Amino acid sequence: PPRSTQSRSSAASDVYKRQMETTIKRDKSGLGKLFPKYITTFSHGDKFILCAKKKAGNKTSNYAISMAPNEFDKKSKNFVGKLRSNFLGTEYNIYDNGKNPKTTFHIEEVREQLGVVKYESNLFGQRGPRKMTVLIPDIQPDGERFNWKPLNQKEGILEAFKLEKTTGVLNYFNKPPIWNDQCEAFVLNFNGRVEKLSLIHISEPTRQAEISYAVFCLKKK
């Protein structure tokens, strides 16, 4: 293959080798039922990494992300970004701690878009678990990620993906489960890689009953 392709593949491979297994826990204590906090730790050792907390006073779901357990103010040095959904809760955008382009005239201060999670609309779960697409910046030949700084709603990772402009974007999607009549649930074969079901932290119902579980995996498209 061309050298540029080899360089890009090598850079991406080096990044993937540094992957870590993490665990996300939901804290609903106190006012956590209204404004839950999600804590990310290393799966081995339970060492704290970062956490996110739902912010009050927003028309859509809006989470502040911090590297400290209880510091969610934008002025805090531990504030690293936010996650924001659309009104229907089908699209989630992840940004760093930069400024909204409406509040600054300096491009270097504008927030960077770090990813998008998009759910296929599926009212009442009639078509089974929703299809989920994850979009993140691609890795450049020099090992740095592509820099996405949308200045309006017509720009950004999701808009580029919708227009099939895939340069600078990595696209992942969840492997669809299959309905099993015997156990009356959607099942997914992990080929021995998963020993127990994950409690719902991503709201993907795979069982048509009162208790829902998140069972999914991502693979490159």
Side-chain angles (χ1 to χ4, degrees), residues 195-210:
E195 298 179 354
K196 61 181 180 180
L197 292 172
S198 298
L199 286 176
I200 184 167
H201 11 266
I202 300 193
S203 300
E204 275 304 284
T206 60
R207 184 186 298 269
Q208 294 181 341
E210 294 181 358

Side-chain angles (χ1 to χ4, degrees), residues 108-124:
E108 65 273 11
E109 296 181 348
V110 173
R111 63 193 180 191
E112 183 179 352
Q113 189 177 29
L114 302 177
V116 174
V117 178
K118 183 179 184 300
Y119 290 97
E120 183 180 83
S121 179
N122 185 8
L123 189 63
F124 305 122

Side-chain angles (χ1 to χ4, degrees), residues 132-172:
M132 178 174 67
T133 299
V134 177
L135 307 171
I136 59 175
D138 200 353
I139 304 299
Q140 302 184 77
D142 61 1
E144 296 294 323
R145 67 173 178 266
F146 277 82
N147 193 316
W148 289 88
K149 287 192 173 185
L151 301 179
N152 55 63
Q153 295 183 349
K154 296 182 179 180
E155 299 177 357
I157 295 176
L158 181 58
E159 286 64 33
F161 176 74
K162 289 178 179 179
L163 295 173
E164 299 184 355
K165 297 180 179 180
T166 57
T167 300
V169 180
L170 286 176
N171 170 24
Y172 294 85

